[in-house]
Amino acid sequence: MLFDKQTYINRRNELKQKIGNGIIVLFGNTNAPANYPNNAFMFRQDSSFLYYFGQNQEDLIGIIDVDNNKEYLLGNDVDIEDIIWTGFVPSIQDLADEVGVANTAPLKELKTILAPYLCGDKKNIHFLPPYRYDTMIELGDLLGIHPYKTREAASLSLIKAVVDMRSVKSDAEIAEIERAMAIGYKMHTTAMKLCKPGVTEKFIEGQIVGIAESYGAKVSFQSIVSMHGEIFHGTPSLRPLEAGRLMICDAGAETINNYCSDNTRTMPVSGKFTQKQRDIYSIVEACHDLVIEKSQPGMKWMDMHLDVCRLMTDRLKDLGLMRGNTEDAVQAGAHAMFLQHGLGHMMGMDVHDMEGLGQVYVGFDDEVRPSEQFGTNCLRCGRRVQPGFVLTDEPGIYFIPALIDKWKAEGMHKDFICYDKLEDYRDFGGIRLEDDILITPTGCRVLGEQIIPYHPDDVEAFMAEA
């Protein structure tokens, strides 16, 4: 349990006020078998369950009966046959007492507790969209619907209430994210030290995963370590790094208390950027720094994204890769030849915070809706940001041969894209820089006591020292 008892009591009380009536059911996670029942993936508790009930143990369910002002923690106490394998495990009552929950019951009592609501209007049973199939099956059995229908049956009022609460991070949560950043710094600087011709992507990934697990719980997502930076989620291979290429490392840590970091750095395998690489890198660097300079509470993150696209377009025009009126090019979506994803995403207990609740509720609202335009449609957050929001700042420029060929053949944005010049960059790869920022009352600050080197001279100097 990360925070004090009163923190969880206060969170549940606030949630009751936001929901107003009915009963709230928050499912904790179970162990997930990898290839047979007793060989499971590393356990990870559901983030919303952790937020309101604080216990990082499998097979628990939290219930908040808003109508009767009662709370329950459901779970099964272990017996001696379990203890000889796992060691001492606190009783369900002990776990409930730690987070200020008065009532406990075994898991089989779930239907009994929910019975008054199952017999009446089932819309008063509030639950979040399930993302694990065992939870889908259990909910389907409870509600008498097909398990695949359970996501669309989730409570919209509960989704919005949880998003509203979890979006704004407390000082204690920020401190925990800072601890994740400190681990992330060790991971990324290790990757920079190891980035040399002949070293494999897989070896570097293995080293940084080991750092995450030795200082925290695990990596916050599957690490991206690749010379093919144009592939957003490129997985590391056993291919040795090649002189003259760039390597992207997109990786983060999750602390033992389940808060995350997420950073990306791009580095020259040879230790020095070529002039061509430096030219593109400097554009991404300028876009990254623009976000830090301009981010402030009350601004639409969609506007911040488009400001980055305008700056990128201007600078690409300077290199002869784009042409024409910048505003017209961005409005038309021509910049998406080079930036095909959004500027960033919310971050906290999930590296893409609360994405499982529905990105349209996390990153957007009635004022700002998702775009349908290619590239901008991948923006995960467009809404106005508030103090306490933690977001990633991650612009990039990518040269994707298949996209170049498709758009050129179709004559897409030929008034804005210089296809002849673009041919010289087909094998370039991609560059991305990513840091995590906290929106403050007056602007923003980059999280992490130590900033991973990212200015090109600093990257080269660090790699030379290593």
Side-chain angles (χ1 to χ4, degrees), residues 172-199:
E173 289 181 287
I174 296 302
E176 194 62 26
I177 294 173
E178 295 271 23
R179 281 187 274 274
M181 302 301 301
I183 302 169
Y185 178 86
K186 295 177 187 294
M187 294 167 65
H188 279 273
T189 52
T190 296
M192 280 188 183
K193 293 173 184 177
L194 293 173
C195 182
K196 294 179 176 67
V199 180

Side-chain angles (χ1 to χ4, degrees), residues 108-180:
K108 67 180 181 181
E109 295 299 317
L110 177 61
K111 277 189 176 181
T112 302
I113 295 169
L114 295 180
Y117 297 92
L118 291 169
C119 295
D121 187 355
K122 293 178 182 177
K123 290 184 179 179
N124 287 327
I125 302 175
H126 301 282
F127 59 90
L128 296 173
Y131 52 89
R132 290 196 173 190
Y133 293 112
D134 54 347
T135 308
M136 292 180 187
I137 292 168
E138 187 161 8
L139 274 169
D141 181 57
L142 279 170
L143 301 175
I145 61 177
H146 193 283
Y148 287 167
K149 298 288 186 181
T150 52
R151 283 191 62 82
E152 62 189 64
S155 166
L156 184 56
S157 60
L158 181 58
I159 290 170
K160 290 184 174 181
V162 171
V163 168
D164 191 44
M165 292 180 66
R166 284 182 55 190
S167 291
V168 179
K169 308 302 188 289
S170 67
D171 289 345
E173 289 181 287
I174 296 302
E176 194 62 26
I177 294 173
E178 295 271 23
R179 281 187 274 274

Side-chain angles (χ1 to χ4, degrees), residues 195-208:
C195 182
K196 294 179 176 67
V199 180
T200 68
E201 298 168 352
K202 193 68 177 172
F203 180 81
I204 295 174
E205 182 216 17
Q207 297 302 301
I208 64 176

Side-chain angles (χ1 to χ4, degrees), residues 224-265:
I224 300 162
V225 181
S226 177
M227 290 183 289
H228 284 281
E230 79 280 9
I231 302 173
F232 297 162
H233 289 173
T235 55
S237 73
L238 289 171
R239 182 180 177 182
L241 299 180
E242 299 170 9
R245 299 288 297 274
L246 295 169
M247 186 190 84
I248 273 186
C249 179
D250 186 343
E254 182 173 312
T255 70
I256 199 68
N257 293 313
N258 306 110
Y259 281 80
C260 298
S261 72
D262 184 6
N263 294 96
T264 305
R265 292 294 185 264

Side-chain angles (χ1 to χ4, degrees), residues 14-60:
E14 183 178 349
L15 187 61
K16 288 178 201 173
Q17 293 174 358
K18 286 180 178 291
I19 296 301
N21 61 73
I23 193 165
I24 301 165
V25 185
L26 294 174
F27 287 84
N29 282 335
T30 62
N31 274 322
N35 56 339
Y36 59 91
N38 283 330
N39 188 29
F41 291 107
M42 181 179 180
F43 176 72
R44 175 52 157 90
Q45 185 60 282
D46 176 77
S47 295
S48 291
F49 181 88
L50 274 174
Y51 188 81
Y52 293 102
F53 285 88
Q55 296 296 358
N56 196 8
Q57 182 173 309
E58 66 270 18
D59 301 320
L60 297 174

